[in-house]
């Protein structure tokens, strides 16, 4: 009988990635712009020092009684001691939202123009080892998709690719922005992090803002989740928003994927990252996304650390109170009920008519590539519009005017 106990059952591809995993995730790869910035160290130091168990009800009450929330108050609002105050927090967050945004809620839709990816993030359905249908739209298809989306009345689009510089190079993304400019007033990008001159080029092509998910700010955990590819380089990702601002982007978005690691520390680091950049670049428009980890195809390696609805509301309310002017987006990973609840309290932006597959707004290019994750809110643009009205909220397609 053969003894299999010492035999590896890992595929060659995974073994190869394990080797690459020894790459120092804190060391920049050739071609990556090194930004001399103090922000990363400040964020990581603040996060490491954050001990949420030390906060008390008194700290939370003190924070809730203030007009302006300090980083220390923000820390208290994210602590377990704040959970019994959730109703009060949500009410204060709602009042703050109405003060700065009225009852306006911005609507947009994401368009995945490609799903090639060179990274191995073990929690994502697009990762380079996952056997999914890969595809990218050509210029004509991008135009068809955008025209179909614009027909629904939307005026803001978020362009996404997987993270493959090879298959979705900067020029390709730039061409997509130029096409988008014909149909939309606001163009966002959620693509791989790049250098500031590349952001400047994409801004010239029409892009207004850039969102980069840091996923987790715990670099030790980050290393275990991002096994290969350029995404493995933690500081290059963390400094992406600052490079985007230097490249001339009007706005930048931040997010931790809540549930990957300790969500309180990650939410605290996300808020501090945005806060410190806002202080350094007061003109930059700041946005938060609040994704929670969701199930994906072919993945049983990830056990999300539970972030329940109450904790999600706590994070969103704390973001609002700490950064009163920031835009907050709630993803279609959340169901319609949760999204409607959050836009009624603190979120200011909602997507509609969403598909995370490649080319699904036009029949002839339908089902070109697989979806990144399952969405929970499949409402059309009209349905989201009507549901916002029922909540006495005002759906807004764009507040940006070209003269
Ligand atoms: S999370 Fe992004 S970079 Fe990572 S595998 Fe998925 S698409 Fe690629």
């Amino acid at each position: 009988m053969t003894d299999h106990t010492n035999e590896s059952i890992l595929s060659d591809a995974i073994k190869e990635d394990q080797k690459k995993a020894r790459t120092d995730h804190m060391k920049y790869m050739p071609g990556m712009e090194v930004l001399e910035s103090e922000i990363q160290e400040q964020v990581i130091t603040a996060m490491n020092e954050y001990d949420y168990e030390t906060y008390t009800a008194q700290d939370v009450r003190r924070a809730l009684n203030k007009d302006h929330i300090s980083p220390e108050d923000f820390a208290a609002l994210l602590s377990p001691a704040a959970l019994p105050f959730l109703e009060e927090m949500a009410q204060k967050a709602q009042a703050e939202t109405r003060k700065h945004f009225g009852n306006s809620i911005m609507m947009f839709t994401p368009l995945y123009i490609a799903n090639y990816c060179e990274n191995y993030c073990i929690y994502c359905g697009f990762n380079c080892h996952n056997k999914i249908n890969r595809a990218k739209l050509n210029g004509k298809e991008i135009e068809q998709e955008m025209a179909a989306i614009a027909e629904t009345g939307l005026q803001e689009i978020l362009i996404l690719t997987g993270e493959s510089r090879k298959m979705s190079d900067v020029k390709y993304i730039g061409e997509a922005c130029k096409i988008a400019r014909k149909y939309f007033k606001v163009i966002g990008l959620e693509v791989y992090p790049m250098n500031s001159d590349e952001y400047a080029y994409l801004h010239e092509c029409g892009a207004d803002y850039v969102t980069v998910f840091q996923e987790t700010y715990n670099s030790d955990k980050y290393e275990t989740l991002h096994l290969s590819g350029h995404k493995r380089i933690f500081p290059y990702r963390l400094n992406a928003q600052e490079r985007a601002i230097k490249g001339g982007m009007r706005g930048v978005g931040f997010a931790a994927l809540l549930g990957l690691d300790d969500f309180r520390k990650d939410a605290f680091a996300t808020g501090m990252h945005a806060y410190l950049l806002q202080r350094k670049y007061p003109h930059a428009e700041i946005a938060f996304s609040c994704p929670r980890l969701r199930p994906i195809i072919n993945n049983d390696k990830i056990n999300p650390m539970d972030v329940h609805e109450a904790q999600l509301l706590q994070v969103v309310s704390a973001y609002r109170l700490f950064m009163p002017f920031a835009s907050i987006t709630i993803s279609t990973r959340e169901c319609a009920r949760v999204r409607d609840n959050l836009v009624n309290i603190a979120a200011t932006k909602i997507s509609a008519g969403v598909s995370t597959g490649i080319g699904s707004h036009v029949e002839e290019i339908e089902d070109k590539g697989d979806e990144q994750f399952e969405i929970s809110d499949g409402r059309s643009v009209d349905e989201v519009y009507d549901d916002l009205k029922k909540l006495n909220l005002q759906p807004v397609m764009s507040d940006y005017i070209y003269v």
Side-chain angles (χ1 to χ4, degrees):
M1 204 171 95
T2 316
D3 178 6
H4 289 283
T5 47
N6 289 324
E7 239 171 60
S8 172
I9 54 167
L10 300 181
S11 72
D12 288 346
I14 290 177
K15 281 191 219 154
E16 187 52 33
D17 269 323
Q18 282 190 319
K19 265 195 235 157
K20 285 183 196 157
R22 290 187 208 114
T23 306
D24 183 350
H25 69 297
M26 299 302 281
K27 204 170 148 207
Y28 282 75
M29 287 175 171
M32 289 180 167
E33 178 184 353
V34 180
L35 201 64
E36 295 304 333
S37 173
E38 65 299 342
I39 300 278
Q40 178 181 317
E41 200 190 321
Q42 290 175 350
V43 171
I44 301 303
T45 303
M47 182 187 72
N48 289 342
E49 287 172 357
Y50 178 38
D51 181 0
Y52 48 75
E53 295 294 355
T54 61
Y55 290 87
T56 64
Q58 204 184 348
D59 298 322
V60 178
R61 258 190 234 107
R62 188 198 57 227
L64 287 172
N65 284 333
K66 283 190 180 172
D67 285 338
H68 303 288
I69 303 289
S70 67
E72 187 58 12
D73 299 320
F74 178 51
L77 293 176
L78 284 172
S79 74
L83 269 176
F85 295 86
L86 205 47
E87 176 69 36
E88 211 178 322
M89 258 178 90
Q91 287 198 16
K92 195 170 160 92
Q94 187 186 48
E96 203 64 37
T97 309
R98 297 291 161 263
K99 203 196 296 175
H100 301 292
F101 296 87
N103 61 351
S104 303
I105 302 292
M106 308 298 302
M107 286 179 65
F108 75 104
T109 209
L111 174 63
Y112 286 76
I113 58 171
N115 67 358
Y116 291 93
C117 191
E118 291 155 13
N119 293 319
Y120 185 16
C121 311
I122 64 172
Y123 51 83
C124 174
F126 274 14
N127 84 54
C128 61
H129 292 305
N130 217 359
K131 301 273 176 271
I132 62 167
N133 292 321
R134 305 278 174 179
K136 88 188 233 196
L137 301 178
N138 61 32
K140 184 174 162 230
E141 290 165 336
I142 291 173
E143 180 128 19
Q144 284 175 311
E145 288 277 305
M146 289 185 177
I149 291 167
E151 277 288 302
T152 66
L154 289 173
Q155 295 178 12
E156 174 171 343
I157 195 156
L158 174 63
I159 297 172
L160 298 98
T161 59
E163 297 199 11
S164 170
R165 261 187 187 268
K166 201 164 132 216
M167 297 304 291
S168 315
D169 62 18
V170 175
K171 190 156 186 303
Y172 171 70
I173 298 170
E175 291 309 308
C177 290
K178 287 182 196 165
I179 298 168
R181 190 44 87 210
K182 293 197 244 168
Y183 295 94
F184 302 98
K185 289 188 179 153
V186 180
I187 300 167
L189 291 178
E190 209 174 293
V191 297
Y192 48 86
M194 48 188 76
N195 295 345
S196 52
D197 59 338
E198 294 169 320
Y199 283 127
Y201 168 73
L202 293 179
H203 181 55
E204 251 173 55
C205 293
D208 296 291
Y209 67 90
V210 164
T211 296
V212 178
F213 286 19
Q214 185 61 31
E215 319 296 12
T216 176
Y217 284 80
N218 174 350
S219 78
D220 290 344
K221 180 76 179 200
Y222 186 95
E223 183 191 9
T224 66
L225 297 169
H226 305 100
L227 299 187
S228 67
H230 56 267
K231 186 170 177 179
R232 184 165 165 78
I233 310 306
F234 180 85
Y236 188 66
R237 196 163 190 91
L238 198 146
N239 287 309
Q241 285 90 349
E242 190 164 358
R243 293 194 303 274
I245 295 170
K246 282 180 175 291
M249 290 289 172
R250 183 154 62 87
V252 282
F254 302 80
L257 184 49
L258 302 172
L260 267 185
D261 194 42
D262 185 329
F263 80 91
R264 294 185 196 281
K265 283 195 163 241
D266 270 332
F268 181 67
T270 308
M272 286 305 295
H273 191 183
Y275 169 82
L276 291 166
L277 269 185
Q278 179 84 93
R279 284 210 317 192
K280 191 169 175 183
Y281 304 95
H283 62 279
E285 291 177 15
I286 300 291
F288 292 110
S289 300
C290 311
R292 288 190 287 178
L293 202 53
R294 295 270 308 155
I296 57 156
I297 47 175
N298 303 345
N299 194 345
D300 53 5
K301 298 190 202 83
I302 278 285
N303 297 312
M305 295 175 76
D306 284 343
V307 183
H308 301 288
E309 212 173 312
Q311 286 82 2
L312 180 64
L313 176 58
Q314 182 183 8
V315 170
V316 173
S317 300
Y319 283 164
R320 169 58 63 230
L321 294 173
F322 185 44
M323 301 280 290
F325 302 103
S327 150
I328 298 180
T329 304
I330 295 299
S331 135
T332 42
R333 292 165 191 249
E334 302 298 337
C335 68
R337 180 187 56 76
V338 170
R339 296 179 95 209
D340 285 354
N341 188 32
L342 291 171
V343 287
N344 205 20
I345 294 169
T348 50
K349 202 162 176 180
I350 191 166
S351 51
V354 174
S355 159
T356 61
I358 310 298
S360 32
H361 297 92
V362 175
E363 227 164 76
E364 62 196 78
I365 46 177
E366 207 162 357
D367 295 336
K368 242 185 139 187
D370 281 339
E371 302 199 330
Q372 185 184 22
F373 57 84
E374 297 161 25
I375 61 170
S376 300
D377 181 0
R379 285 178 295 174
S380 68
V381 174
D382 285 346
E383 285 166 332
V384 171
Y385 191 100
D386 290 344
D387 288 348
L388 289 174
K389 294 291 265 185
K390 281 183 208 147
L391 292 168
N392 289 323
L393 295 167
Q394 179 57 54
V396 177
M397 297 305 181
S398 162
D399 60 357
Y400 206 67
I401 295 172
Y402 287 95
V403 287

